Amino acid sequence: MDEGTHATDRKLVRVGVADVAVSGNGAALATSGLGSCVAIALYDTSGTGVGGLLHAMLPAAPDQPENAAKYVDTGLDQLVEQLAAAGGNTNELTAKFAGGSSMLNIGTGGGIGAKNVSATEAGLADRDIDVTGSDTGGGSGRSIRFHPNTGEFVVERVDNQTLTL
């Protein structure tokens, strides 16, 4: 175990950029490198212990994207499908999410981070999924550790702040 890993994280699944993973066996899910990207955690509150984590880069997919997890809209669809396949009750999902930082000031019309956050909020509302916590915006990068069996969502910011949702 490395210094940053807790004893309860013996099973840890890494979720890459533009990736999605689901756990139903007690394994925690982790992702890092969140700048303007968003990490969206969904978990079944009915007691199955099934949950998943999406690390999306962009708000909306083009027609027939090569990688659905790269986008908030199609990534959420993929995450819900995988949760159902793993035995999760998709009628009892709750969400937590983080990211959407303004890392660069380029262009006009709002940054990609704000657009990712808006797409996340709209996508979850469209699917009638309650949000119980979020940490978005600002200028700091983030790393996430999510425990699907408890719903604990730990946000570690590069500015040395840690928040547990």
Side-chain angles (χ1 to χ4, degrees), residues 27-70:
L29 303 170
T31 195
S32 58
L34 286 174
S36 60
C37 296
V38 289
I40 305 166
L42 299 181
Y43 63 102
D44 176 0
T45 59
S46 72
T48 64
V50 174
L53 186 65
L54 166 67
H55 184 145
M57 295 174 62
L58 297 167
D63 289 339
Q64 300 183 3
E66 193 172 306
N67 177 1
K70 184 175 180 179

Side-chain angles (χ1 to χ4, degrees), residues 59-128:
D63 289 339
Q64 300 183 3
E66 193 172 306
N67 177 1
K70 184 175 180 179
Y71 307 94
V72 171
D73 57 355
T74 52
L76 277 171
D77 291 339
Q78 184 180 25
L79 179 54
V80 171
E81 288 170 13
Q82 288 188 19
L83 287 168
N89 180 348
T90 58
N91 294 318
E92 297 291 331
L93 295 178
T94 296
K96 296 179 181 181
F97 64 96
S101 294
S102 297
M103 303 301 286
L104 300 172
N105 263 340
I106 56 175
T108 59
I112 195 68
K115 291 176 182 175
N116 282 337
V117 170
S118 293
T120 299
E121 292 168 341
L124 295 170
D126 289 348
R127 291 165 180 81
D128 292 321

Side-chain angles (χ1 to χ4, degrees), residues 129-163:
I129 298 173
D130 290 332
V131 176
T132 59
S134 66
D135 180 47
T136 62
S140 295
R142 296 168 170 90
S143 294
I144 305 299
R145 180 167 293 151
F146 173 56
H147 301 269
N149 56 336
T150 64
E152 182 180 71
F153 187 84
V154 180
V155 181
E156 295 177 1
R157 293 185 186 178
V158 296
D159 61 7
N160 291 324
Q161 291 184 0
T162 300
L163 177 65

